[in-house]
Amino acid sequence: MAVVAAVDLSVGPGVGLLPLVSLGPAFGGLVGGWRRTALIGLIALLLCYGLGVYNDLFENRRGYTALASVAGVTVAGVVAALMRQRREAELASFRSIAEVAQRVLLRPVPRGAGHLRAAVSYMSAVAEARIGGDLYEVVPAPGGVRVIIGDVQGKGLDAVETAAVVLGAFREAAHDEDGLPAVGARVERAVDRALQGEKFVTALIGEISPDGGATFLNYGHTAPMVVRHGGQVEFPEPPQFALPLGLGIHGTESPRPFRVGFGPGDQLLLHTDGVTEARDAEGRFYPLGRRAHLLKDPDPETALDALREDLLQHTEGPLHDDAALLLLRYRD
């Protein structure tokens, strides 16, 4: 508005840039509240009247037309500001609900779980989303610490609902069942009832005992990464692969438990395929094994943040799939 007024005064009477004054309330409705927009509109009307007198435009209809244009744009700006504020309030409400859902579905893992230290990182592929189709949980149990990480087929609310079924079944079974196969069987039954063979969930269920060693059930999930005390990297795979959760309705066999050496000084990183399948601009996959040195920080959360930042730099943009990382270490 100031620029329009300055230009109008500099070129002298006769040009008549009055309608451009309406840009003030027009932009005001986009960025400010309705009161601010109305105030800008009032200032625009006064400025338009003053410039109209300066340009002798009220001797004909041009001055009154300019005033009507500014008034009309002001009203439209006020209405737009009211609608925008209303949508912003609704969005804030939805975000608060999403945050509550996140805390219920993907609860923060404890920094100390039994004899382990844990850290987690979750990145959703959906813009502005905090939860998606990946899942994780850490549950201290009498026989050790039981963990799960999984990846639900698909995205959106359907994937979130499926993840809730898996996590709910695991949380109950991890406390109630004596052995890891019983935990896996209970989760299988719950997921089979919910999905009925229409979808599936890849998952890795594990139990880390205090005396050293970890036992896993692999339901078609990506292999975990073990970083030894000396820096060696391993990706242990099961002796026999099993189908993902949710496909038990077809009569498939359950996975067999397999043991992985894991002791003090070692690191265990559970992850979803959103990490290993992340591509850079040239289509190269993220080399997780060659980035194991990034986990050298004594604090698990700081180490995981370094790996996360490196992953985002590799993709040079947002991820195309959800990615979850769960880092486990023995307590010092």
Side-chain angles (χ1 to χ4, degrees), residues 78-282:
V78 170
V79 173
L82 286 171
M83 295 178 64
R84 179 177 51 79
Q85 288 179 311
R86 185 170 161 186
R87 289 194 297 268
E88 288 176 351
E90 292 177 351
L91 181 59
S93 177
F94 292 152
R95 284 180 174 173
S96 64
I97 294 173
E99 289 176 356
V100 173
Q102 181 192 28
R103 289 195 294 268
V104 173
L105 181 61
L106 295 179
R107 299 179 300 196
V109 300
R111 293 179 62 98
H115 61 290
L116 297 178
R117 300 174 65 193
V120 69
S121 175
Y122 186 88
M123 294 166 281
S124 176
V126 181
E128 301 297 332
R130 296 178 179 266
I131 54 178
D134 286 3
L135 55 99
Y136 56 84
E137 184 59 289
V138 178
V139 178
V145 178
R146 289 172 174 172
V147 299
I148 185 174
I149 191 164
D151 187 354
V152 179
Q153 175 199 16
K155 295 182 178 65
L157 292 178
D158 290 340
V160 174
E161 292 176 0
T162 303
V165 172
V166 177
L167 287 174
F170 173 77
R171 285 164 180 163
E172 291 187 4
H175 287 291
D176 297 342
E177 302 296 341
D178 292 333
L180 189 63
V183 175
R186 189 162 170 179
V187 175
E188 282 187 72
R189 290 193 298 269
V191 178
D192 288 342
R193 286 195 303 268
L195 301 185
Q196 298 181 347
E198 296 180 358
K199 291 184 179 181
F200 61 85
V201 182
T202 67
L204 186 68
I205 301 177
E207 181 178 75
I208 298 94
S209 58
D211 58 354
T215 304
F216 289 103
L217 296 172
N218 194 319
Y219 294 88
H221 197 72
T222 54
M225 182 175 74
V226 180
V227 184
R228 299 299 179 190
H229 181 67
Q232 301 89 349
V233 178
E234 301 175 8
F235 290 90
E237 295 184 348
Q240 181 179 352
F241 287 91
L243 292 179
L245 293 167
L247 301 180
I249 192 173
H250 302 297
T252 58
E253 294 184 3
S254 299
R256 297 179 182 177
F258 67 100
R259 190 172 178 83
V260 176
F262 179 63
D266 296 338
Q267 300 187 77
L268 181 61
L269 181 67
L270 311 183
H271 55 90
T272 58
D273 59 7
V275 177
T276 53
E277 295 181 1
R279 298 172 182 261
D280 61 9
E282 299 179 0

Side-chain angles (χ1 to χ4, degrees), residues 1 22-38 40-41 73 77-78 80-81 84:
M1 286 164 38
S22 62
L23 291 175
F27 284 109
L30 295 177
V31 298
W34 71 269
R35 291 184 179 86
R36 180 181 176 184
T37 304
I40 294 175
V73 173
V78 170
R84 179 177 51 79

Side-chain angles (χ1 to χ4, degrees), residues 25-75:
F27 284 109
L30 295 177
V31 298
W34 71 269
R35 291 184 179 86
R36 180 181 176 184
T37 304
L39 177 61
I40 294 175
L42 178 60
I43 296 174
L45 286 172
L46 295 176
L47 183 61
C48 182
Y49 178 78
L51 292 176
V53 173
Y54 172 75
N55 289 293
D56 297 327
L57 296 181
F58 287 106
E59 297 178 358
N60 49 50
R61 296 181 180 179
R62 290 182 60 189
Y64 298 102
T65 301
L67 284 175
S69 299
V70 174
V73 173
T74 300
V75 172

Side-chain angles (χ1 to χ4, degrees), residues 290-312:
R290 297 201 298 270
R291 297 294 194 272
H293 64 277
L294 297 173
L295 300 175
K296 61 183 178 181
D297 195 280
D299 181 55
E301 292 186 354
T302 303
L304 206 55
D305 287 342
L307 186 64
R308 171 188 174 132
E309 291 300 321
D310 186 72
L311 174 62
L312 294 176

